[in-house]
Amino acid sequence: MKKLLLPLLLCTPAHALEVSYGMGEYTFSNDKEKRQACVIAENKAIENSLFNYGQKQFETVQESFCVDTKDHAYCNFVKNVIFTSSGKVSSVIDRIKRSDKDTCYVEVKTEIEPFRQLNASVKSKRSYIVGDKFNADIKVGEPLYLYIFNLHKKGVDIIFPNQYNTDSLVDDRFELPKDTDIIASLDKKDSSSNETLLFLFTKRRQDIDYRDVNKNTFTELINSIPVQERKIVQHNFIIKRSER
């Protein structure tokens, strides 16, 4: 028995596989196109299974007041990031294929291999009064580079690093430097604001100019970093005026 133990351990996958389900369909105009339509439908079903797995992952991190509006539309962006970085399809366990008139339908059962997330966690307040200072308790289990963005109705700002602190390498535990005071504020016409702090952890240093960050450059930056080399933590919060 002892001789069998080592091979069994070596065959154990580093990350447990998870099961997901997906559906896909594709239309065709004649029998000649039917076969190709079913191939495309299966590809769509496999993609849908990964989407459904990502949906489940997103629901575990979504906050109750993270609502997409014209002024606060970043939840969908973070949702898409989680979909694309949640894992990869390891294999198709089972498939059901059927055709109805001019459409091929495919249902699949897949095994998903979750991507290993970088070891980082964040704790912060979720409600602020105008004039409060932002702070966050950040822990990492390995040296990582940290970038903190504030996503709001006017766009996006980079909070850290900045002109006062250019070194973004974090080791062990991190708190915002004392000279990086970030004060909660509102426009005069607003009584409250739903915003998002997005913490981006990366394995490699990103040469980001804090003076030149906007929605487009922010999105391009996130999408350009390989999913295995990044972790995104979003904290949605609300700023209110004092009720006094």
Side-chain angles (χ1 to χ4, degrees):
M1 292 296 294
K2 290 184 178 179
K3 292 182 179 180
L4 293 175
L5 182 60
L6 182 57
L8 285 173
L9 288 174
L10 292 175
C11 293
T12 301
H15 308 292
L17 300 179
E18 299 192 29
V19 173
S20 185
Y21 299 86
M23 300 179 64
E25 61 181 74
Y26 201 77
T27 58
F28 54 89
S29 57
N30 53 58
D31 288 341
K32 188 176 181 181
E33 296 178 355
K34 181 178 177 180
R35 182 176 179 179
Q36 182 175 335
C38 289
V39 171
I40 296 174
E42 181 169 335
N43 289 337
K44 287 179 173 290
I46 293 172
E47 181 182 18
N48 181 241
S49 73
L50 184 57
F51 179 92
N52 290 334
Y53 175 75
Q55 174 72 34
K56 183 174 65 174
Q57 299 302 104
F58 178 75
E59 288 174 350
T60 64
V61 300
Q62 186 179 21
E63 304 300 331
S64 59
F65 55 82
C66 180
V67 179
D68 281 315
T69 66
K70 289 184 178 180
D71 292 338
H72 188 70
Y74 285 96
C75 288
N76 273 341
F77 172 76
V78 176
K79 190 173 183 178
N80 289 334
V81 168
I82 292 175
F83 289 161
T84 57
S85 63
S86 58
K88 64 179 180 179
V89 176
S90 176
S91 63
V92 177
I93 304 173
D94 196 10
R95 62 175 58 79
I96 299 174
K97 187 182 301 183
R98 62 183 177 86
S99 299
D100 182 14
K101 295 182 180 179
D102 62 348
T103 304
C104 181
Y105 301 90
V106 178
E107 300 177 41
V108 296
K109 178 181 179 181
T110 62
E111 284 186 323
I112 306 293
E113 180 181 347
F115 281 131
R116 185 188 77 86
Q117 290 287 310
L118 300 182
N119 190 355
S121 64
V122 179
K123 292 182 180 179
S124 68
K125 289 174 58 177
R126 303 306 176 92
S127 180
Y128 292 88
I129 300 297
V130 171
D132 286 349
K133 291 183 180 180
F134 288 96
N135 207 344
D137 183 11
I138 300 166
K139 296 179 181 179
V140 295
E142 56 188 302
L144 296 172
Y145 293 94
L146 170 64
Y147 305 88
I148 306 175
F149 301 88
N150 179 205
L151 288 63
H152 49 83
K153 65 181 182 180
K154 291 185 177 180
V156 56
D157 301 313
I158 183 167
I159 294 175
F160 182 85
N162 51 44
Q163 58 182 327
Y164 305 107
N165 298 276
T166 58
D167 186 6
S168 58
L169 184 62
V170 177
D171 189 5
D172 192 24
R173 189 166 184 168
F174 173 84
E175 290 188 8
L176 290 174
K178 293 181 179 180
D179 54 358
T180 307
D181 287 342
I182 306 157
I183 308 300
S185 62
L186 287 172
D187 289 342
K188 291 183 179 180
K189 62 180 180 180
D190 295 332
S191 59
S192 65
S193 177
N194 286 343
E195 303 187 11
T196 298
L197 282 178
L198 190 144
F199 302 83
L200 170 65
F201 299 89
T202 66
K203 285 188 174 183
R204 292 179 294 109
R205 182 178 181 275
Q206 307 296 313
D207 189 14
I208 304 173
D209 188 344
Y210 67 90
R211 298 164 297 184
D212 187 30
V213 176
N214 54 52
K215 287 184 178 181
N216 291 333
T217 58
F218 171 75
T219 303
E220 290 172 0
L221 170 69
I222 297 294
N223 291 334
S224 68
I225 304 172
V227 293
Q228 300 91 338
E229 296 187 9
R230 73 183 183 206
K231 180 174 183 178
I232 293 176
V233 178
Q234 64 152 355
H235 279 198
N236 306 295
F237 64 96
I238 188 169
I239 301 175
K240 295 181 178 180
R241 295 195 184 278
S242 174
E243 297 179 355
R244 292 179 295 175

